Every structure is written in C-alpha cells, then in structure tokens.
Amino acid sequence: MALNIGRVYPNSLHEKDGSVLFLIKGEREKKLIAIGDASSVFRELEGSISSNDGFPMKVCDLSITNSHVIRKYFPYTRPVSLRKFRSTIGLGDRLGVASPGHIEVIQGYNAGPVLAQQSIRELTLTGRTFEDVLQDAVWAVFQEGYRDGFGADGDHLKSTEEVKLALDAGYTMITLDCSEHINDIAGLSKGDVERMYMNMDKGTRERLEMRFLSEEFKLESGFTLAFSQEALKANAVIYQKAVDFAVDVFDAMIRPCQRGIDFEMSIDETSTPTDPLAHFFVALQLSEAGVDLYSVAPRFCGEFQKGIDYIGNLKQFREELQAHQRIASHFGYKLSVHSGSDKFSVFPIIGEETNGHVHVKTAGTNWLEAIRVIIHRDPALYRELHAFALEHLAEARRYYHVTLDTGRIPDVASLKDDELESLMAQNDARQLMHITYGLILQAKDCSGEYLFRDRIYRCLYENETLYNEFLVKHIGNHLRALGFRSR
Ligand SMILES: [Zn+2]
C-alpha cells in the first residue's frame, strides 16, 4: 500500500524506539500509522499489519485502547494538573473534534487549556463517556504534537460515584457541584432559619460559633470580614452540608489520588448570587480541613446564560468580583467563572480584577462554531437542524435556563443561504441551537438511524480546517478580551 502523503498531519510525526508514528486523514476517519516493528509501542498498538515499500506497517484505529498505548509512550499526551499556569480556560468539546483548533489558539497565549471538559449532563445528552471525551483530546494532542500540558475536567460532578467515574478515566480536574447540599432559604422567615439552625448537630454549632463569632477576619488585602449571629446561622443553614460534602469527597477520593488533581468546589448553581461572606464561610472551613482547592466557582450577580453575553449591571459585577477575588487571593486559589462562553462585556473586568489568575469555562460556544461551519458548508442541513430545534425546544428547556423568545428569531425560510450566518449573531437563535444539541445529536428515525449526527460529523470532518479557523478566531477573541498574556 502506498501512502498518500498529502493526507498526513505534519505535527503528528513521532519517533519512538525505531518506529515512526503519524496520523493520516482517511476518506471517512483518521488513522494512526506505525512504521517499523522493532519497538514495543508498535507491538502494543492494535491494528492491521501490512508493509509499505518493504517496511512493516500497522494501520490503527483511533480507539480508546490505542489512545492508552499513546499515553503510555508519549507522556505529554496524558492530562495533567494545570497549577503551573496562572490563567486557565475550559474548552468543552461536545463533539470531540474541536481540540485541534483549541490547541492552535492556546499556543499563542500563556494559558493552560482544559481540553476535555464535560459534565454528566453533557455526556448524557451527547451519548459519550468520560473515556470517549478524554481520548478525543489525547488524539488531538498527538496530532498537533502539543507538549505544554492540558487538563481533563469532570465537570459538575454531584456524587462520589460520579467523581470516581472521572478519576478512573484519568481526569485531572474534579469540579464538585455542591448544589444538592445547599439549602435555599429564600422566602423563609428569620424564625424558620433559627429553627433549622437549632436542628443542626450541637457540636457543629458550637464549633462554628467559636470559630466565626469570636473574631473579625482580616484578609491579606487588609479588608476585614465579620459575622453577626444572624449571618452565621443563615450561612450554616445554607452551606454547612455542602462544606461537609466537599471535605468528605476530598479526604476520601482526591487526597489519596496518586496524580495531581485540580479540585474545584462549585456553588454556582443556586437561585441567588453567592454572598462574599458565604464564600468566606465555605473557604475558611475547607482551608482549615486541609482541602487543597484549585478553584471555587461562586454564583455571580447578573445572568450568565448559555452562549450569549452577560446580562446585568457591570458596576455591580465588578464590585462583587472584587470581593470574591479578595477571598480567593487570601486562600490562594483561583476564581472559576462558569458559563463563560461569549461573556465579552465582563471579560475585561474578569481579567483586570483577577489579574489573570482565574479559570474560565466555555463549552457551548464551541458547538455553535461547529454550527457556523454547517451554515457555511451545508446550509440545507442547517435548515433541517433549525426546524428540528424549534420543534423540540420545550424538551431542551428542561435542561437549560434561557430567556430565549422564538418570536424574535427570523423565519429561516425568508433567509437566503448566505444570510443564514446572521442567525449566529442573534441571541435567541444562538440559544435555540445551543440548548438543543443533545436532542439534535441523539435524534433517530424509525429505522434507528441517526437523523443528523452522522451528517454533522461528516460535514465537520470534511471542513476541519474551516472549523479550526472559526475556533481560533472566536476563542482567540475570548482570550484577548480576558487580557490573558500572549506568548
Ligand atoms: Zn457551573
């Protein structure tokens, strides 16, 4: 078999113990080629053996098993803790084809990328596993010869079982979602809160009162925080179970882990913004319990809706961010900003107030850039997706909170093909496509064939370069607006 050299990914060329390895772009899928059978990497890869001009050659699938062989022999293809980076960005890739573009753009910045980042909700909606997501990132890293390190984030994990799944799959960041352990006391009377507090374990109450009521807390910035009896009781009722949960998970699962884990506590999925005093209440206890935090995600004021700019008061956002940042700096971890896709009006504020010491998560916007590729290269498919999304919107709304109003979306029938891209600049149309991704990807016809999934992957495979270009531009705009330092 003669190889078509024009289809080789040039940066994927690797040499190991006398074998040469590289990726090629086949008609329908990428393949790993290994030439020279003297090495153990050649022997361990699964594939079909043939010969190329007399040299033994193996043609291998980009499978999970083979990705483990690659991870074994090329250590930089393994995910790592990103603590060496001051600035980090989560680049959730729901389709598993965005990482080459992400790698290209991140190489221009002094920032660490989390290339594999999915929540259980996203895995369920896309029909993938933690292993699938990580191996896609591993192959992209190998393809691009990217050696600066990347993270893998099990995002919004809610139970020890979910944390275990992510750790077993090799993830290096654990985002513990504590929302199910947070009490919502909005609307409760002072008397109700008092009763709930008195129902807490007596020893816990005494410990909290001793710790929080006996002194004012002076932060490194010189700023002081003080708890009134009332504030302590409210915070204990709201957050104490979440604190205990985070400490338990850290002690049982993160501390014993052999590799470095970036542990994030997320308290952002609440109905009201996180009070800085509450943030401190949580952080002080975690710190004193020896929990080594990488980041904390508070809920900020205003709205961080999916795939569109920030909605809210910028001045108030800056002030609250400053208060949270003082606490994060005091304890030495990063703030983590979730739903960070497209929040262009607050990016400069985030960059300035954190001085770049921050983690920002994006996900949906990378899917929307894939939709942009489809608009450019297969407008007929886009029209089908759009109609399907409108039809199934009510279902998608069960998973995502958005303000979208379909009445504001232009009628696609009235748009010419070259006008369709204007929809990607219209918030309601963006959110429509953003939240229906799971339904779109999983939809099947009556014979059990995917309605759209295969065609979407095909379009992106054939237009890989265009997708990379769009991602480089769009994520580049994010990084620039955040003020992350370029290399
Ligand atoms: Zn979140």
Side-chain angles (χ1 to χ4, degrees):
M1 178 183 137
L3 286 174
N4 181 346
I5 295 304
R7 288 176 175 272
V8 171
Y9 290 89
N11 297 329
S12 71
L13 198 59
H14 291 74
E15 193 274 334
K16 185 78 193 169
D17 305 329
S19 293
V20 172
L21 284 73
F22 53 91
L23 295 189
I24 58 162
K25 182 160 184 154
E27 185 58 37
R28 302 210 140 254
E29 56 188 5
K30 297 175 188 179
K31 295 281 184 186
L32 170 69
I33 307 291
I35 298 177
D37 63 358
S39 69
S40 40
V41 58
F42 185 95
R43 283 191 295 277
E44 287 174 35
L45 284 167
E46 288 179 352
S48 55
I49 293 185
S50 55
S51 100
N52 183 47
D53 295 336
F55 289 102
M57 178 175 91
K58 207 179 243 185
V59 180
C60 314
D61 287 337
L62 306 196
S63 63
I64 289 177
T65 313
N66 283 338
S67 84
H68 281 288
V69 179
I70 292 300
R71 273 177 261 184
K72 178 175 165 189
Y73 287 99
F74 302 95
Y76 65 86
T77 64
R78 297 174 208 153
V80 289
S81 158
L82 294 183
R83 281 178 195 253
K84 69 170 181 174
F85 292 100
R86 184 173 174 76
S87 309
T88 47
I89 182 163
L91 298 161
D93 177 9
R94 291 173 181 159
L95 295 163
V97 294
S99 289
H102 289 150
I103 290 169
E104 186 180 336
V105 67
I106 207 71
Q107 283 177 307
Y109 289 85
N110 218 327
V114 176
L115 297 177
Q117 170 204 285
Q118 296 284 278
S119 62
I120 299 285
R121 175 171 65 182
E122 286 171 308
L123 293 178
T124 309
L125 289 173
T126 54
R128 297 164 83 209
T129 63
F130 279 127
E131 278 273 17
D132 293 332
V133 173
L134 180 52
Q135 76 132 345
D136 286 332
V138 167
W139 288 118
V141 165
F142 187 79
Q143 175 186 308
E144 299 305 321
Y146 175 69
R147 289 159 193 264
D148 296 338
F150 71 99
D153 179 7
D155 198 8
H156 276 286
L157 306 180
K158 294 186 174 178
S159 65
T160 51
E161 292 75 22
E162 292 178 0
V163 171
K164 185 170 186 317
L165 276 180
L167 289 175
D168 287 350
Y171 280 57
T172 53
M173 178 168 185
I174 294 296
T175 299
L176 190 68
D177 179 332
C178 299
S179 55
E180 286 174 2
H181 305 269
I182 294 174
N183 271 323
D184 190 350
I185 62 163
L188 295 187
S189 71
K190 214 174 141 183
D192 290 335
V193 174
E194 176 77 28
R195 260 188 302 283
M196 288 166 84
Y197 180 72
M198 292 312 290
N199 279 337
M200 285 174 62
D201 167 68
K202 184 160 177 276
T204 306
R205 279 186 280 127
E206 285 173 356
R207 177 175 62 77
L208 292 176
E209 284 164 22
M210 187 104 84
R211 188 69 193 94
F212 286 97
L213 297 180
S214 61
E215 60 170 313
E216 278 197 339
F217 298 94
K218 201 170 172 116
L219 302 181
E220 271 170 13
S221 53
F223 208 81
T224 54
L225 290 166
F227 286 78
S228 63
Q229 285 238 11
E230 208 179 319
L232 173 65
K233 286 176 183 173
N235 281 313
V237 167
I238 302 171
Y239 291 103
Q240 191 56 39
K241 275 189 291 177
V243 169
D244 295 341
F245 175 60
V247 172
D248 287 350
V249 169
F250 184 85
D251 284 344
M253 312 189 73
I254 309 296
R255 201 193 294 280
C257 205
Q258 294 297 310
R259 57 184 191 276
I261 300 292
D262 298 333
F263 184 61
E264 170 166 318
M265 182 181 187
S266 101
I267 48 175
D268 65 315
E269 305 245 318
T270 53
S271 57
T272 48
T274 311
D275 184 340
L277 204 61
H279 181 171
F280 183 82
F281 174 81
V282 169
L284 181 69
Q285 292 190 70
L286 293 187
S287 161
E288 292 182 348
V291 173
D292 186 12
L293 282 171
Y294 176 76
S295 46
V296 167
R299 156 92 200 265
F300 295 103
C301 61
E303 291 209 44
F304 280 72
Q305 287 192 20
K306 304 291 173 182
I308 62 170
D309 202 350
Y310 175 74
I311 302 169
N313 181 316
L314 294 179
K315 185 168 169 284
Q316 188 193 354
F317 176 79
R318 186 186 287 272
E319 286 165 6
E320 289 192 16
L321 182 66
Q322 282 169 347
H324 287 296
Q325 179 60 34
R326 279 193 289 266
I327 297 165
S329 308
H330 180 79
F331 292 104
Y333 53 76
K334 292 174 183 172
L335 288 179
S336 175
V337 181
H338 287 201
S339 301
S341 292
D342 305 284
K343 301 299 175 291
F344 289 102
S345 64
V346 288
F347 285 154
I349 300 174
I350 292 169
E352 284 161 27
E353 296 303 335
T354 64
N355 200 10
H357 190 240
V358 69
H359 183 63
V360 176
K361 296 195 189 196
T362 71
T365 208
N366 302 303
W367 153 258
L368 286 177
E369 290 306 298
I371 294 292
R372 194 189 297 278
V373 172
I374 294 168
I375 288 178
H376 274 248
R377 294 295 157 87
D378 192 351
L381 173 57
Y382 176 76
R383 289 175 192 276
E384 283 183 60
L385 299 180
H386 188 100
F388 178 88
L390 280 174
E391 213 177 300
H392 294 84
L393 182 58
E395 246 172 283
R397 283 196 128 132
R398 273 193 263 139
Y399 302 102
Y400 289 101
H401 162 71
V402 286
T403 48
L404 99 92
D405 174 357
T406 53
R408 292 190 293 239
I409 301 176
D411 178 11
V412 277
S414 71
L415 297 175
K416 297 199 200 74
D417 282 353
D418 63 0
E419 291 169 341
L420 287 174
E421 195 178 3
S422 63
L423 293 168
M424 289 289 100
Q426 206 274 334
N427 283 347
D428 302 275
R430 285 181 73 79
Q431 292 197 323
L432 169 72
M433 297 314 290
H434 185 296
I435 68 167
T436 48
Y437 67 93
L439 298 164
I440 288 172
L441 289 170
Q442 306 258 35
K444 288 182 177 166
D445 64 18
C446 43
S447 58
E449 297 289 314
Y450 282 119
L451 270 180
F452 309 114
R453 190 187 187 98
D454 300 337
R455 281 191 285 162
I456 289 171
Y457 273 103
R458 185 104 201 110
C459 179
L460 293 170
Y461 190 63
E462 285 167 1
N463 297 288
E464 211 181 359
T465 316
L466 188 65
Y467 189 30
N468 289 354
E469 264 172 41
F470 286 169
L471 288 170
V472 167
K473 181 169 173 222
H474 192 58
I475 296 300
N477 288 341
H478 282 63
L479 297 166
R480 247 186 320 282
L482 281 161
F484 286 179
R485 271 179 293 166
S486 51
R487 279 194 202 166

